[in-house]
DNA sequence: AGATTTCTCTTCCTTAAAGAAGAGATTATG
DNA sequence: CATAATCTCTTCTTTAAGGAAGAGAAATCT
């Protein structure tokens, strides 16, 4: 499982892994009646924290009309909350509410399975994995920014 | 970076990582004018290999009409190819075409950045990571199946 | 062989999400 | 202090994707 030959299809393994993650995310969202854009916004909020409808819409590639309605949907479904901005009364802050309950629930089986996998590693191995998670997350976040900058 | 305290927010790190991966996948697809369903189908094909429109549509949660049109879109965009099934002339096999060029291109910056990160690990550490990728992919794939089974 | 089922595709209709334009409120600017 | 700019939201229209129903070809069953 770690011979030089097997390292050759590292790319394939990695693509397969990414596909599985994406597939699962999508399937979970669909099971919660969450559209693609709504899921995108939730991921954005999870990753970057609370932001105004303006920037949220811009980063999701939406004009203001759809942005308002998307936030309406997310708020009604309990994923998000609108708070007036303290320093500018025109603005609104959209913040994710803890963990989206419904989504969390749907993802539980996968999380437990992954947890099982992770518990099979030694502390040193876990250090490697979480080091990777941290750095890869930042790399992907950065890549999204760049994509958004040069369309 | 590996103290017991930091292990406490393992969940947060992992969620953040998943969000970043999803976000990047979505953003890349959008940059290629790929809708959510089309991306889902591509991931499915990447993960499970060629399949008929029937099963593809079923696994994507579509009826036959939208399925045909989705495959039309993917085929026209060069992501997929239709081949007549050799053993049943009613059937069609939908197979992904190598790596989707356009999508591949858009994802290049992230891939290179992740490659850079991976090259920073020792062979033993890479073994751990790829072992994880392999097992997690299977876990997610299984979870999607289960989601699909019990809606 | 004839009837039935299976599979894909086509056509028409419905629905959900996105764009455009502008109103109302608030802040910044000259 | 008045004008302009900013921010969110509303309304109306457009577009893209999905559902329903059925046709045509081919396999399966009796």
């Amino acid at each position: 499982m770690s011979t030089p030959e097997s390292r050759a299809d590292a790319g394939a393994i990695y693509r397969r892994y990414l596909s599985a993650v994406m597939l699962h995310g999508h399937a979970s969202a669909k099971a919660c009646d969450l559209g693609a854009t709504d899921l995108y916004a939730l991921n954005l909020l999870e990753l970057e924290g609370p932001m105004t409808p303006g920037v949220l819409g811009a980063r999701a590639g939406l004009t203001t009309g759809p942005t308002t309605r998307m936030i309406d949907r997310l708020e009604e479904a309990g994923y998000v909350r609108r708070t007036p901005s303290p320093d500018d009364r025109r603005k609104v802050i959209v913040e994710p509410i803890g963990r989206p309950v419904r989504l969390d629930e749907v993802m539980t089986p996968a999380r437990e399975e992954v947890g099982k996998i992770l518990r099979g590693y030694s502390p040193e191995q876990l250090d490697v994995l979480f080091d990777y998670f941290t750095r890869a997350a930042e790399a992907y976040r950065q890549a999204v920014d760049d994509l958004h900058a040069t369309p």
Side-chain angles (χ1 to χ4, degrees), chain A:
Chain A
M1 187 176 278
S2 60
T3 64
E5 310 90 75
S6 72
R7 188 57 39 80
D9 40 1
I13 291 177
Y14 194 73
R15 279 201 303 273
R16 207 179 148 75
Y17 168 65
L18 283 188
S19 290
V21 170
M22 293 284 300
L23 206 65
H24 179 254
H26 252 116
S28 303
K30 183 175 291 188
C32 300
D33 291 310
L34 263 177
T37 306
D38 297 22
L39 178 61
Y40 191 88
L42 278 184
N43 280 323
L44 214 42
L45 288 168
E46 163 81 35
L47 209 55
E48 318 252 338
M51 61 187 83
T52 66
V55 303
L56 182 57
R59 303 220 31 184
L62 296 176
T63 55
T64 68
T67 299
T68 297
R69 286 188 299 261
M70 176 187 72
I71 299 173
D72 288 347
R73 287 193 299 270
L74 292 176
E75 194 171 34
E76 185 164 8
Y79 292 126
V80 129
R81 168 174 42 207
R82 267 188 254 237
T83 307
S85 169
D87 53 306
D88 187 336
R89 298 207 311 228
R90 292 167 303 182
K91 289 188 185 173
V92 168
I93 307 283
V94 182
E95 48 186 14
I97 296 184
R99 265 274 91 190
V101 182
R102 179 107 184 71
L103 196 56
D104 208 48
E105 187 177 308
V106 169
M107 289 184 157
T108 294
R111 186 178 36 254
E112 289 186 349
E113 209 52 41
V114 169
K116 225 179 279 178
I117 293 174
L118 289 177
R119 278 193 288 282
Y121 293 110
S122 71
E124 295 75 29
Q125 292 175 326
L126 283 176
D127 284 346
V128 172
L129 287 167
F130 276 85
D131 181 63
Y132 169 77
F133 294 151
T134 305
R135 292 158 83 155
E138 177 54 23
Y140 281 119
R141 205 196 56 67
Q142 184 63 47
V144 173
D145 278 359
D146 294 349
L147 270 180
H148 169 259
T150 43

